[in-house]
Amino acid sequence: MSLKSFIEVQPESDFPIQNLPYGVFSTASNPKPRIGTRIGAWVVDLAMLDEEKIFNKPYGFFADPTLNRFMSAGRAAWREVRQHLTGLLSSDNSPLKNEALMSRAFIPVEEVRMHLPVAIGDYTDFYASREHAMNVGIMFRGKENALMPNWLHLPVGYHGRASSVILSGQDVRRPRGQVLPPNESSPQLLPSRSLDFELEMGFFIGTGNHLGERISAKNAHEHIFGMVLLNDWSARDIQAWEYQPLGPFLAKNFATSISSWVVTMDALEPFRVAGPIQDPAPLPYLQPFDQTQGKPDSDYGYDINLEVTLQSVSMEMAHVISRSNLKHIYWSIVQQLTHHTVTGCNMRTGDLCGTGTISGPTEGSYGSLLELTWRGEKPIALPNGETRKFLQDGDIVVMKGYCQGEGFRVGFGEVTGKILPALLIN
Ligand code: CA
């Protein structure tokens, strides 16, 4: 018999007792942002439970407007809180089974306003899906040079922009930038004509490392607090003109959307799977090692079903344009974090890393319009007769993700964003 809460949760809900993600919310009656968890259709006010001394000891940090202090408390504290909450929401003699307390601490999800859950110091974006790297490589450089010589030896990434990480639901303004229009010899400053999304997941650093030290593949997983859905909005025409020799810059710095609830690594633990076979074998520093079993541990893939929908202004319903899965990525998040710090680069609590676009092996599983439409050569047909090469003004992109357990899901909710027209003035 699997764990059950006394709070009713529908089987298709992303938020059963097995999940218990963390987010930051406020309400009309209490506009102060504070930390909550989610169960079914309810947000549970953890600041209030802490204040009412419902936990075995006071934590204090739940009244903060970000998760950072909780994240910096470390893995033992994360596990302790999760254990407390699991007990509180499932045991027969739970102190939560009190009508007056529940009516204050449990808030219907439609009555809360969500806030960016983490104060993000630094944001790094990887490029860890072999299928995505191959597809983009073929389009930009041809089949012979698709995968760069380094790609199978290290998780490629770049340092992104933390200031423009936004919460799901916030609109995205079409960026203007320098592009070289087709058949022109000189560049122009124009609104992007090939605005795209990238289906990614993000992981948050809970505890960091000191400058000059590094995080080893053996315990990199202990530094990761949790994951969110991430849409790395990308302007392909700006990217194509600017990306050599240093990689993405303005093509990706105008907006990166994340989902509201941070799903913990403990909630995702049952859904770990082996990643793709890595050939050639990576250098030893990139090989996670399972100390309990005394052997290399490649099982740092996660079986997370992902879906992207698009809805134009004139469509009544969203239309699924891609289905993928995090398990497809070649370089695991543990390898990404390990590689990031190998030089002694210090990660800090609240830093965000993107996995890179998660494309699967089939055409319907590609994680960007660039790939789905093959750079606009094969436009997507929408059910109302419209077609898309890239995003139009008014388009709404929604990404969802969940792990399927036996009779329950551990899900992420969604990350959504609507495209607004570029500003008229330069
Ligand atoms: Ca990306």
Side-chain angles (χ1 to χ4, degrees):
M1 172 93 186
S2 67
L3 184 63
K4 238 180 138 52
S5 173
F6 51 80
I7 305 292
E8 197 187 324
V9 178
Q10 300 299 319
E12 69 277 11
S13 168
D14 278 353
F15 306 105
I17 191 167
Q18 288 84 356
N19 192 343
L20 303 180
Y22 300 104
V24 171
F25 76 100
S26 63
T27 48
S29 58
N30 181 359
K32 188 179 171 298
R34 55 206 188 270
I35 295 173
T37 187
R38 170 96 185 247
I39 184 151
W42 304 88
V43 173
V44 187
D45 186 337
L46 297 183
M48 174 175 290
L49 297 189
D50 200 14
E51 201 180 289
E52 297 283 337
K53 303 188 167 48
I54 299 298
F55 298 113
N56 297 349
K57 64 181 193 197
Y59 287 109
F61 45 61
F62 291 127
D64 289 359
T66 66
L67 294 174
N68 292 56
R69 208 149 56 98
F70 176 28
M71 294 162 87
S72 71
R75 197 175 184 222
W78 312 336
R79 292 191 150 178
E80 183 184 276
V81 170
R82 181 173 167 82
Q83 213 167 25
H84 273 330
L85 285 174
T86 303
L88 283 171
L89 289 164
S90 62
S91 81
D92 287 338
N93 51 2
S94 169
L96 286 186
K97 286 185 164 176
N98 167 326
E99 204 64 47
L101 176 65
M102 269 181 109
S103 67
R104 289 190 302 133
F106 284 64
I107 303 150
V109 69
E110 58 275 9
E111 289 178 20
V112 305
R113 179 177 163 214
M114 298 305 294
H115 301 264
L116 203 63
V118 177
I120 302 166
D122 280 297
Y123 162 51
T124 299
D125 195 25
F126 285 91
Y127 191 58
S129 151
R130 184 174 188 163
E131 287 79 5
H132 174 67
M134 277 299 289
N135 290 337
V136 175
I138 290 169
M139 280 183 264
F140 280 67
R141 288 182 298 274
K143 207 157 193 164
E144 299 307 306
N145 304 308
L147 225 45
M148 289 292 195
N150 58 6
W151 201 91
L152 291 170
H153 295 278
L154 55 83
V156 169
Y158 68 95
H159 291 110
R161 186 79 201 160
S163 64
S164 53
V165 177
I166 58 175
L167 193 66
S168 173
Q170 191 171 333
D171 297 337
V172 174
R173 175 78 59 189
R174 180 180 299 275
R176 204 176 280 271
Q178 191 178 124
V179 299
L180 184 66
N183 309 318
E184 299 274 346
S185 56
S186 49
Q188 296 173 25
L189 182 65
L190 293 171
S192 170
R193 290 171 186 166
S194 28
L195 186 55
D196 200 354
F197 61 81
E198 286 190 341
L199 169 64
E200 300 196 20
M201 295 202 66
F203 62 93
F204 279 108
I205 306 305
T207 51
N209 57 305
H210 296 294
L211 181 64
E213 295 174 1
R214 68 187 208 192
I215 294 176
S216 123
K218 290 186 189 69
N219 59 4
H221 61 284
E222 296 174 3
H223 291 259
I224 302 173
F225 178 77
M227 300 191 79
V228 288
L229 299 164
L230 185 151
N231 183 347
D232 177 26
W233 302 96
S234 300
R236 301 301 178 192
D237 40 3
I238 298 173
Q239 185 179 4
W241 174 234
E242 76 173 2
Y243 89 105
Q244 285 177 319
L246 283 187
F249 185 32
L250 308 187
K252 287 161 181 285
N253 78 352
F254 54 93
T256 305
S257 301
I258 61 168
S259 51
S260 305
W261 294 101
V262 183
V263 178
T264 64
M265 300 321 289
D266 282 324
L268 296 174
E269 180 68 20
F271 306 100
R272 264 174 64 183
V273 291
I277 290 170
Q278 296 187 315
D279 183 21
L283 288 172
Y285 82 95
L286 279 172
Q287 295 175 5
F289 193 84
D290 187 331
Q291 281 156 321
T292 51
Q293 302 208 26
K295 66 178 178 63
D297 183 357
S298 62
D299 297 358
Y300 274 102
Y302 289 88
D303 185 359
I304 302 176
N305 299 289
L306 299 166
E307 175 188 290
V308 185
T309 66
L310 194 152
Q311 184 172 7
S312 74
V313 175
S314 56
M315 284 164 68
E316 281 171 19
M317 276 173 62
H319 177 64
V320 176
I321 57 171
S322 176
R323 285 197 175 91
S324 186
N325 192 304
L326 183 65
K327 70 183 178 190
H328 295 310
I329 61 168
Y330 188 84
W331 294 104
S332 71
I333 60 172
V334 158
Q335 290 174 315
Q336 292 176 18
L337 176 56
T338 302
H339 183 66
H340 201 312
T341 67
V342 73
T343 53
C345 169
N346 51 328
M347 306 299 288
R348 294 180 295 191
T349 297
D351 285 354
L352 173 66
C353 293
T355 56
T357 306
I358 305 158
S359 290
T362 57
E363 284 187 24
S365 64
Y366 294 166
S368 65
L369 282 175
L370 178 72
E371 296 163 270
L372 290 164
T373 72
W374 210 255
R375 218 179 187 177
E377 286 170 24
K378 295 190 275 185
I380 289 180
L382 298 173
N384 66 344
E386 287 180 84
T387 58
R388 280 295 176 279
K389 295 177 176 175
F390 291 101
L391 296 171
Q392 300 288 316
D393 293 344
D395 283 355
I396 298 171
V397 178
V398 179
M399 297 171 180
K400 297 182 183 181
Y402 66 90
C403 308
Q404 185 65 58
E406 277 184 37
F408 67 92
R409 284 179 171 186
V410 169
F412 290 79
E414 62 181 32
V415 59
T416 167
K418 183 167 108 177
I419 304 301
L420 299 183
L423 293 171
L424 286 172
I425 43 166
N426 270 321

